[in-house]
Amino acid sequence: MVEPLLGRLNHLFHASQFPFPFHARLPSPFINSEPPSHARKITNTDQDFSLILLRKTSPIALFTRILPNQILIKRMFFELTEEQLAVQQAARDFAQNVLKPGVIERDREMKFPKSEVRQMGEMGFMGMMVDPEYGGGGMDTLSYVLAMEEISKVDASSSVIMSVNNSLVCWGLQQYGSEEQKAKYLPKLATGEWIGSFCLSEPEAGSDATSQRTTAVDMGDHYLLNGTKNWITNGGTSSVHLVMAQTHPEKGHKGINCLIVETDWPGVVIGAKEDKLGIRASDTHTIMYTDVKVPKENRIGEDGFGFKFAMKTLEGGRIGIAAQALGIAGGAYELSLAYSKERAAFGKPISQHQAIAFKLADMATDIEAAKLLVYRAAWLKDQYMDYGTASAMAKLFASETAMKHTVEAVQIHGGYGYVKEYHVERLMRDAKITQIYEGTSEVQRIVISRNVLNGQLYIPIWNGKVVGMEV
Ligand code: CAA
């Protein structure tokens, strides 16, 4: 059955000027093989046939449904499902009714939104993609993105707390943790009873993340953890840390492990809270580990898997931060649109002056473009397709958009934009961090350019029939 199908795929790919013969890109041992363990949502009907392509370097799957005389590969729909719309509305209401009233004060006082985060947990926003078996919402990435976007329109401090917990801690544990680790930690994290932190950055290992100085010495039945992490989101409030540490320095990044550390264990010291430009209500700390005994069973994955764990987890995390940036830009845009219709100058609303109307047009266009990139990255992840490049592109573009247009929002508001009451100055300060954390804009360009140059870019062919990926 495979050969005729390959012929047909080749025909279509050639017809669409695709530069590589299809058979050359199909590792035959994988044809009709079982999907990778994380690819669970395959459906086969009598008419359908699943082709699984595994990429050279990593088990990335492309599921292709083939019907007689037609190649049907995930069609492009722009509508959200009823469930996704409901999540979006719930997040919008929560942001407006619960988060907005105290957001200026929390920002000014650097006050962690404790009761608000508890409510987010009760509403299911802290473990949205976690399997219901472990107390999570079992939702797709797009639903998570929609919630992040709505919450970020109002309160980016709350959304980063949510983002780190959902996409770095819960997702990483669910995807790569052992059954015991998941059973022990996920139910508390997914419900917001506990909050988690992701501890990769160090004083001398920020963008250069392979240069980990924190050590995890193998002592037989446990690791002895020593070192310092900084810029740790949720650092003063989290109960669990996922800590990257070097076990085999001679192996470079291949010697790094990720350890699950409970913050009340002896030797964990929480340093001072950072006084930040933006996302001021979120809780960012330096953490010191001195001779912390971490049981062996708290290592995630095989010995030396820690750096890959961090990179794979950050690929998804970047979608969350891209959604945050999208929300910040969207919030600034909505406020600017409303203000420009109310505020009059020279005898008419300022929205009727081209100088302002064109700013609004540019904002709306960039936000729409960012939205497409962010939603597509989430969609690719939900289809179990390669999303590393897509998430980097989404984060890069959405965060640049957020920075550019929050500055414009302040400009549209004039003097009012410069005071706290009108919210846009806070959104402008909050936007800046989206260009920095979970990989700076420069790191995203490293990721994108390497994948482009390696030919590992997800390649959509816009003839309405085929969406392919080089393997
Ligand atoms: N998936 C799987 N493996 C990956 C990977 C990915 N996405 N990216 C890299 N790797 C692997 C590589 O294949 C390589 O392994 P092999 O040698 O076995 O092939 C290994 O990791 C090292 O990769 P590189 O050689 O590409 O490493 P590099 O030193 O050139 O750096 C980098 C790559 C992309 C710059 C990376 O260091 C990076 O992402 N830096 C930014 C770190 C970051 O995002 N920090 C954010 C901190 S967390 C945070 O901000 C959370 C918060 O609180 C809000």
Side-chain angles (χ1 to χ4, degrees):
M1 184 163 183
V2 168
E3 284 309 316
L5 288 169
L6 284 182
R8 179 145 186 80
L9 282 168
N10 268 320
H11 174 74
L12 272 163
F13 272 95
H14 282 305
S16 5
Q17 318 249 310
F18 196 76
F20 310 103
F22 201 76
H23 66 270
R25 302 182 300 108
L26 270 177
S28 55
F30 296 128
I31 295 171
N32 278 334
S33 65
E34 284 302 304
S37 58
H38 62 278
R40 288 173 297 156
K41 290 184 185 165
I42 301 180
T43 48
N44 268 328
T45 68
D46 286 342
Q47 290 176 306
D48 292 359
F49 171 78
S50 286
L51 257 184
I52 300 160
L53 313 187
L54 297 189
R55 212 171 67 165
K56 273 181 300 214
T57 49
S58 59
I60 306 297
L62 167 64
F63 303 108
T64 309
R65 294 194 302 137
I66 300 175
L67 300 178
N69 302 322
Q70 189 191 11
I71 289 206
L72 254 194
I73 304 181
K74 318 292 183 207
R75 285 173 183 269
M76 197 191 263
F77 289 115
F78 291 98
E79 294 101 317
L80 298 174
T81 64
E82 278 181 26
E83 291 79 13
Q84 288 161 344
L85 286 168
V87 169
Q88 186 183 47
Q89 188 62 49
R92 189 175 294 161
D93 293 345
F94 179 77
Q96 290 298 328
N97 300 333
V98 179
L99 295 176
K100 194 169 177 185
V103 68
I104 294 173
E105 185 200 337
R106 289 194 300 274
D107 172 74
R108 189 176 51 234
E109 310 291 332
M110 296 196 332
K111 192 168 147 200
F112 186 81
K114 200 171 168 192
S115 80
E116 291 80 1
V117 170
R118 188 176 40 74
Q119 289 179 69
M120 278 160 67
E122 285 163 5
M123 291 187 69
F125 288 134
M126 295 301 279
M128 296 184 69
M129 295 170 289
V130 173
D131 202 316
E133 186 188 338
Y134 303 109
M139 290 178 226
D140 58 10
T141 314
L142 188 50
S143 299
Y144 162 60
V145 157
L146 294 166
M148 275 295 296
E149 183 185 351
E150 290 306 321
I151 288 172
S152 306
K153 282 181 182 174
V154 173
D155 186 359
S157 290
S158 293
S159 73
V160 72
I161 298 163
M162 171 181 163
S163 170
V164 167
N165 201 67
N166 271 278
S167 44
L168 294 185
V169 180
C170 286
W171 190 85
L173 265 171
Q174 168 153 296
Q175 195 70 7
Y176 300 108
S178 67
E179 209 38 65
E180 293 72 29
Q181 290 166 353
K182 290 194 258 192
K184 181 170 181 190
Y185 293 109
L186 275 178
K188 286 183 175 160
L189 288 164
T191 51
E193 184 185 339
W194 280 7
I195 301 176
S197 291
F198 186 83
C199 305
L200 175 67
S201 301
E202 298 186 356
E204 291 176 70
S207 291
D208 183 11
T210 56
S211 300
Q212 296 287 304
R213 301 271 170 92
T214 298
T215 54
V217 177
D218 189 339
M219 306 297 283
D221 64 340
H222 67 274
Y223 289 101
L224 208 54
L225 182 68
N226 279 285
T228 302
K229 296 285 174 182
N230 62 355
W231 317 125
I232 302 306
T233 302
N234 302 336
T237 38
S238 54
S239 304
V240 175
H241 292 171
L242 301 187
V243 185
M244 271 33 83
Q246 183 56 268
T247 300
H248 311 283
E250 72 287 358
K251 293 187 183 170
H253 68 79
K254 291 188 169 74
I256 294 171
N257 278 312
C258 175
L259 305 179
I260 307 169
V261 177
E262 295 181 29
T263 54
D264 58 2
W265 287 352
V268 180
V269 176
I270 314 298
K273 184 170 176 163
E274 302 291 350
D275 186 353
K276 307 188 297 285
L277 171 73
I279 54 162
R280 286 172 56 77
S282 77
D283 191 30
T284 313
H285 290 256
T286 296
I287 315 280
M288 280 79 71
Y289 304 97
T290 309
D291 290 339
V292 181
K293 280 174 82 169
V294 184
K296 266 278 173 66
E297 62 265 25
N298 273 31
R299 184 187 74 209
I300 297 184
E302 295 296 309
D303 189 17
F305 179 63
F307 191 72
K308 295 251 178 206
F309 168 83
M311 290 296 108
K312 292 307 295 177
T313 305
L314 278 166
E315 283 186 350
R318 287 166 185 165
I319 300 176
I321 300 302
Q324 182 188 45
L326 176 63
I328 293 171
Y333 166 72
E334 287 173 14
L335 289 167
S336 302
L337 187 65
Y339 179 81
S340 70
K341 289 179 180 170
E342 284 164 14
R343 170 79 174 165
F346 305 103
K348 55 185 178 182
I350 60 171
S351 60
Q352 297 303 313
H353 293 286
Q354 199 179 66
I356 302 298
F358 279 15
K359 282 189 198 302
L360 292 167
D362 287 346
M363 282 172 126
T365 305
D366 282 347
I367 290 167
E368 205 57 26
K371 190 175 287 188
L372 289 171
L373 281 174
V374 179
Y375 288 12
R376 190 189 71 136
W379 178 86
L380 285 170
K381 181 164 175 278
D382 288 336
Q383 306 305 318
Y384 308 102
M385 292 167 83
D386 190 1
Y387 56 90
T389 313
S391 74
M393 286 177 169
K395 181 179 181 292
L396 174 64
F397 190 78
S399 61
E400 300 289 317
T401 296
M403 193 67 253
K404 179 176 167 191
H405 290 305
T406 50
V407 171
E408 288 293 59
V410 172
Q411 192 68 20
I412 290 171
H413 282 73
Y416 294 99
Y418 208 64
V419 295
K420 295 192 186 301
E421 193 188 338
Y422 283 76
H423 297 285
V424 285
E425 64 82 33
R426 186 187 68 257
L427 291 169
M428 181 180 76
R429 288 186 283 107
D430 289 347
K432 187 62 207 169
I433 193 62
T434 66
Q435 295 175 302
I436 297 173
Y437 57 21
E438 299 205 21
T440 60
S441 289
E442 290 74 16
V443 163
Q444 306 314 319
R445 289 186 174 97
I446 292 176
V447 172
I448 297 163
S449 60
R450 282 183 183 174
N451 287 343
V452 167
L453 292 167
N454 287 343
Q456 290 187 339
L457 178 65
Y458 165 81
I459 302 168
I461 299 174
W462 302 112
N463 62 2
K465 286 180 179 165
V466 177
V467 176
M469 180 175 69
E470 189 177 350
V471 290

